[in-house]
Amino acid sequence: MFSVWNWVAHGLYLLLSTCSVEVSGGLVQSCGHIIPESPVLAVGSNFTALCILNESCLDFGNIYANQIIWKIKNRVVPKEQYREINRTVSSVTFNDTSSLATPLTCNILADGQIEQNIYGITVAVGLPPEKPKNLSCIVHQVSKLTYPMTCTWNPGRYTFLDTSFRLKYRWPQENFPDCIPKDVNNSCTISDVQFFVNLEVWVEAANALGKAESDPLVLDPIDIVKPLPPHNLTVSSGILPTVLKLSWENRISAALMTLKFNIRYRIMGSTDWMQVPPEDTASPRTSFSVQGLKPCTEYVFSICCMKEDGVGYWSDWSEEKTGVTTEDKPSKGPPLWRIVDASRSPASWTVHLMWKALEPFEANGVILRYEVTIRAKSPLSRPPEKYSVNTTNLTLNLPNGTYEVTVIARNRVGASPPSVLLIPATNSKAPVKNVRTLPKDGKLWVGWTAPNNYVLKYVIEWCLVSNSSDCIIEWQNEPGNVQGTYLKGDIKPFKCYLITVYPLYADGQGSGQSVKAYLQQDRPSKGPTIQTKKVGKAEAVLTWNHLTVDEQNGFIRSYTIFYKTVDGNETAVAVDPSKTEYTLSSLTSDTLYTVRMMAYTDEGGRSGPDFTFTTQKFGKGEIEAIVVPVCLAFLLIVLLGVLFCFNKRDLIKKHIWPIVPDPSKSNIAQWSPQVPPKHNFSSKDQMYPEGSFTDVSVVEIEADDKKSFSEQDLKPFDLLKKEKSTSEGHSSGIGGSSCMSSPRQSVSDSDEGETTQNTSSTVQYSTVVLNGYRDQTPVQVFSRSESTQPLLDSEERSEDHAGGGDSTAQRQQYFKQNGGHDETNTDRPCFERTKPITSADEGDLVGFAQLQISGQSSQLLGLGLEKNTQEASLSDVLQTSTEGQTVRPEAVEGSPLSVEEMPKSYLPQTVRQGGYMPQ
């Protein structure tokens, strides 16, 4: 469907555009046209166009002028600019053609609202040409006989239209064909001209909007010639070392033109040209001798020429040629300096002489050798020393004094003037003042203030200061009338230089004044590495090392320390750059700090690595204030404890080291009741050895006389009988029975209530006492033993030695062994019934026996033990009296009782302190 409508629209277009067809030679006519056809308009002018419709198309297509639409490059022109002149003519007017573009078309709106193009034209908008200016011409010599002329001009503004330029020239009486430029609009070349005839030249510019001509130029072509430069230039050295001769050939006929020349030259390797004075070469010539050159120096030459009267143009420079002057003796002596080392010996110097090689223009040839002369001054008297070397240094060992050093440079031609240096014994002359440096124009300038005295010359000495290399000294001489100069060496940026200025006088030398300088500074290569020297509770001593010269890259102006806690703000502290230690104060105790340091030059700073430290929890003296009192208190407590233990040593030994007697050393095993040893009882001390018993009281009662006692008094006897019946199976064998050898509970000093403690590990032996009752023969009686160990065999069978027989008197004898903690402590009593004694034994048994315990301590432990029992002996003392009575031991402190005062039987009543009493 879309394609069908396209075909319909195309058919209508053909119908409207060919509404009138005349077959007359095949010509097809349009329905209209535009006047004017392809106009050329000036920018900014008014323009009106008319679209005229053909009469033949009016009735056929029903189209009229009021249906015309104007367009500029497919853009509809506003209808305010339209004007309908009649039914076939419509016009459009443009007041300013600056906005007018091409093409301009006339269109018709037919029935069905279909827009159809009727006609279109091309519109050109531009400017008329301007008058050409600055017309000039030059005649170039191409060969010896060919001289084309080229003229140039300024074409003026751009016209936006096709504009043609023509170079016109003529003689006064003859015109020549125009010269039309090719591919350009501002120059044109005439192939050949005639000299010595005036020629009029001008330029014409034309386009559709008009024409313009330049001012005419009248000239003789010979006056505008630019000749070719001379060729075949040669340079040769002359007799004199300062002269070189140049020769060349001219390429223009002398009959046609006389020339003048210009010669330039330079030293090989230099870019600065020098010229021979123009007046020396203003006449025609083919050679010239250049004077005032430097001996043994290579030069580069070039030459150009022009018309002798100066009218016309200079030729180009000829090709360059080189030449070398001959040698001459050196023009000056080498610059001389020295370094004096007086550290090796106080009586002599090590002098390092050094001089610089002469520049080529100063050497005037090849230097073959240097001649050095050393002359000692008063008061030294030494002949001059001469040396010939081909190096630029010499080291000598000289005695202390003043010397004059002379150095001469020699080449093939001769010797240079001498260079003289005075080495004084001391630098006693006035030094320079206020030495300063300034980077300037990429160089390092050194200035100073001259001393008041006349200075012959100055020596500026400098060296690169570095940690990785030695200071290699460089130096230069300056005249005595200057107070500043640029260093002539290779000065590098970011490097430190030590510069020293020495004034030299005719009769001595001033001391040097030094200064450090940088050609250019930069930030330090790294920051200082900081460490702690001492850390306290509220302060920390920080230390660091200065940056090396190679790391500084400039003058260190300041240090800044930054420190902070883990979660705190950073604090900055400025530090003098000469310091290497700083104390941070007002810190928080027991806190982690991070610290770093930055070093600053004039160009900025750089930070060093971070360092962490922790402040102490206690300050200086605080720990001592705590520890010393505690130690003193501890020592006091220890001392008091020692004193207490010393005073209570017996009690402590009783509780800690109980006495464990050795059964193998018991005297019971050696005692026989039937054959008791005889004892001498003439002395009471032998009967009662010291320490045997104390505070023993005996009460005698009749065993069968129970009426005189109460039940309370006889209750212990009943208990003993019961114990006897229960313990016969555990007899120890002593006297035929034992005192309840079963374990018993002991009472401890520390806890009296712990009565259930098993004391089977303790070994306690009873005290054995033999005592006759009244007139009866004494029998062996054993007190109760708490030992769980069996006695020795001899002890268990002691009853076998007692002898047999019926008992004639049933008596019970009781003895209580002293032992126990105190008088309040009680223990179960132990009783043993005696065995019957026959009358045959009465003659032998006449004494008593007691157990003697030897040792340093006579007290018993709380469990009934005695400490360190070394010996227990059973003393059987038998004594028979006429009255048949038995002598009994009494208390040590009291006197013995008489027979009448003795009771019928006895029972332990009172024990010594620390013993126990049966209840």
Side-chain angles (χ1 to χ4, degrees), residues 12 17 60 195 215 325 394 429 524 527 536 568 583 616 668 670 694:
L12 291 175
S17 59
F60 179 79
F195 295 138
D215 294 332
T325 56
L394 179 64
K429 299 296 181 178
T583 302
Q616 295 183 358
I668 297 178
Q670 302 175 1
T694 60

Side-chain angles (χ1 to χ4, degrees), residues 205-485:
N207 65 12
L209 297 179
K211 293 183 179 180
E213 293 183 352
S214 67
D215 294 332
L217 179 65
V218 180
L219 52 86
D220 185 351
I222 195 63
D223 295 333
I224 57 174
V225 174
K226 180 181 180 181
L228 290 173
H231 67 125
N232 296 332
L233 177 64
T234 60
V235 181
S236 60
S237 59
I239 300 175
L240 299 176
T242 59
V243 177
L244 287 175
K245 183 179 180 181
L246 279 66
S247 300
W248 65 88
E249 294 178 2
N250 295 322
R251 291 192 285 184
I252 192 170
S253 173
L256 184 62
M257 183 186 299
T258 58
L259 302 174
K260 67 177 182 178
F261 303 92
N262 193 1
I263 300 174
R264 67 177 184 177
Y265 61 96
R266 62 181 174 87
I267 298 174
M268 178 64 74
S270 174
T271 58
D272 298 330
W273 288 95
M274 296 169 283
Q275 288 189 352
V276 175
E279 58 272 14
D280 295 342
T281 57
S283 59
R285 64 184 64 237
T286 58
S287 64
F288 186 81
S289 294
V290 181
Q291 302 178 8
L293 303 179
K294 297 177 180 179
C296 196
T297 304
E298 186 177 9
Y299 287 90
V300 179
F301 294 91
S302 182
I303 190 172
C304 66
C305 63
M306 73 173 298
K307 193 175 179 218
E308 184 180 7
D309 57 6
V311 178
Y313 298 92
W314 283 100
S315 70
D316 295 331
W317 289 102
S318 68
E319 60 179 353
E320 297 179 352
K321 293 294 182 178
T322 62
V324 181
T325 56
T326 59
E327 288 190 18
D328 195 5
K329 63 182 180 180
S331 60
K332 60 179 292 187
L336 178 62
W337 188 233
R338 88 292 178 275
I339 298 176
V340 178
D341 184 5
S343 61
R344 296 186 178 180
S345 174
S348 63
W349 289 344
T350 300
V351 180
H352 302 278
L353 296 177
M354 51 188 178
W355 54 90
K356 293 185 177 181
L358 295 173
E359 296 292 339
F361 61 89
E362 297 173 338
N364 295 336
V366 179
I367 300 299
L368 301 177
R369 63 182 180 275
Y370 297 96
E371 297 175 357
V372 182
T373 303
I374 310 296
R375 292 183 178 88
K377 295 292 185 179
S378 178
L380 297 176
S381 59
R382 297 166 53 105
E385 300 179 12
K386 294 185 178 182
Y387 303 89
S388 179
V389 296
N390 54 8
T391 60
T392 58
N393 57 79
L394 179 64
T395 300
L396 300 172
N397 291 322
L398 301 173
N400 293 352
T402 301
Y403 296 89
E404 182 184 80
V405 181
T406 302
V407 177
I408 295 174
R410 187 177 292 276
N411 62 11
R412 295 185 183 91
V413 178
S416 68
S419 296
V420 181
L421 177 65
L422 184 67
I423 303 177
T426 59
N427 297 333
S428 58
K429 299 296 181 178
V432 298
K433 301 177 182 178
N434 191 25
V435 179
R436 57 200 179 276
T437 61
L438 178 66
K440 194 175 184 181
D441 300 331
K443 299 179 180 180
L444 190 57
W445 181 85
V446 182
W448 59 87
T449 301
N452 296 329
N453 301 333
Y454 172 74
V455 178
L456 186 63
K457 64 181 178 179
Y458 295 98
V459 175
I460 295 93
E461 179 182 286
W462 74 91
C463 69
L464 175 64
V465 180
S466 175
N467 297 100
S468 58
S469 62
D470 295 332
C471 188
I472 302 176
I473 293 178
E474 298 184 50
W475 52 277
Q476 68 187 54
N477 290 336
E478 295 297 331
N481 58 350
V482 302
Q483 298 185 25
T485 185

Side-chain angles (χ1 to χ4, degrees), residues 118-196:
I118 298 298
Y119 202 80
I121 61 174
T122 299
V123 179
V125 180
L127 297 171
E130 285 187 331
K131 176 182 177 179
K133 300 176 182 179
N134 300 329
L135 177 62
S136 63
C137 299
I138 183 174
V139 176
H140 292 277
Q141 181 185 10
V142 177
S143 65
K144 197 168 185 178
L145 300 176
T146 304
Y147 298 91
M149 184 180 72
T150 300
C151 294
T152 59
W153 61 87
N154 182 4
R157 65 188 177 184
Y158 182 65
T159 63
F160 302 99
L161 301 174
D162 291 334
T163 301
S164 62
F165 292 88
R166 293 174 178 269
L167 177 64
K168 296 179 177 292
Y169 62 100
R170 65 184 179 184
W171 286 344
Q173 303 297 328
E174 184 179 354
N175 292 330
F176 296 98
D178 294 342
C179 178
I180 299 174
K182 294 180 180 180
D183 301 328
V184 293
N185 63 353
N186 63 342
S187 68
C188 191
T189 300
I190 300 172
S191 60
D192 195 6
V193 294
Q194 298 295 323
F195 295 138
F196 309 112

Side-chain angles (χ1 to χ4, degrees), residues 814-869:
Y814 304 96
F815 182 81
K816 170 185 156 298
Q817 178 182 357
N818 293 332
H821 290 289
D822 50 36
E823 294 179 359
T824 60
N825 294 337
T826 61
D827 201 355
R828 296 173 58 189
C830 179
F831 296 92
E832 182 89 18
R833 186 179 299 270
T834 61
K835 296 183 69 174
I837 302 175
T838 63
S839 60
D841 299 328
E842 292 181 359
D844 298 328
L845 301 177
V846 293
F848 63 93
Q850 75 177 29
L851 178 63
Q852 181 178 357
I853 301 174
S854 303
Q856 294 182 0
S857 175
S858 63
Q859 293 182 346
L860 297 177
L861 296 176
L863 297 177
L865 299 178
E866 275 196 12
K867 178 183 179 182
N868 296 332
T869 303

